[in-house]
Amino acid sequence: MEVEGNIISGEFDQVNGEFILQRVKHFPTESTLKRNQFNSLYNYLEKHKNDGEGQILTLYDQLLVRLSPEEITVFMDDLDDIRPMYH
């Protein structure tokens, strides 16, 4: 199932119960998030969403992607749309 959010996009694999993250902002990526990884990411962003300077995600252990506090909120909204797909 294709997912096109405002900050992220990807595909949810219903057979394996995983979200395949394919884009963060305008950066292409290929990361698979199992339920526990998805929840860990969500919980981390939830704890830090009010940090004034935002957060930095690392793609491919090399590429740094800055998320402003506003982008964190939008990112979490995208994750909220995906969350029900995990059984």
Side-chain angles (χ1 to χ4, degrees):
M1 170 182 274
E2 292 290 322
V3 176
E4 191 66 40
N6 292 303
I7 298 283
I8 63 173
S9 66
E11 183 176 340
F12 193 83
D13 180 347
Q14 294 178 329
V15 173
N16 295 314
E18 302 170 336
F19 180 68
I20 302 156
L21 182 64
Q22 297 170 334
R23 177 187 53 84
V24 176
K25 291 175 85 168
H26 59 276
F27 299 104
T29 186
E30 188 75 25
S31 298
T32 301
L33 298 173
K34 297 182 186 301
R35 178 188 293 197
N36 63 334
Q37 294 168 315
F38 180 92
N39 288 332
S40 293
L41 174 60
Y42 187 91
N43 292 337
Y44 178 84
L45 291 173
E46 179 70 32
K47 287 180 187 176
H48 297 280
K49 68 181 179 182
N50 294 321
D51 291 355
E53 296 180 16
Q55 293 294 312
I56 297 178
L57 297 177
T58 305
L59 303 178
Y60 304 115
D61 292 328
Q62 299 174 26
L63 181 62
L64 303 177
V65 179
R66 184 181 183 286
L67 294 175
S68 69
E70 295 80 19
E71 288 171 325
I72 291 173
T73 300
V74 175
F75 192 108
M76 291 180 68
D77 289 343
D78 289 349
L79 294 178
D80 283 333
D81 292 341
I82 297 164
R83 180 174 275 198
M85 295 178 193
Y86 285 96
H87 300 291

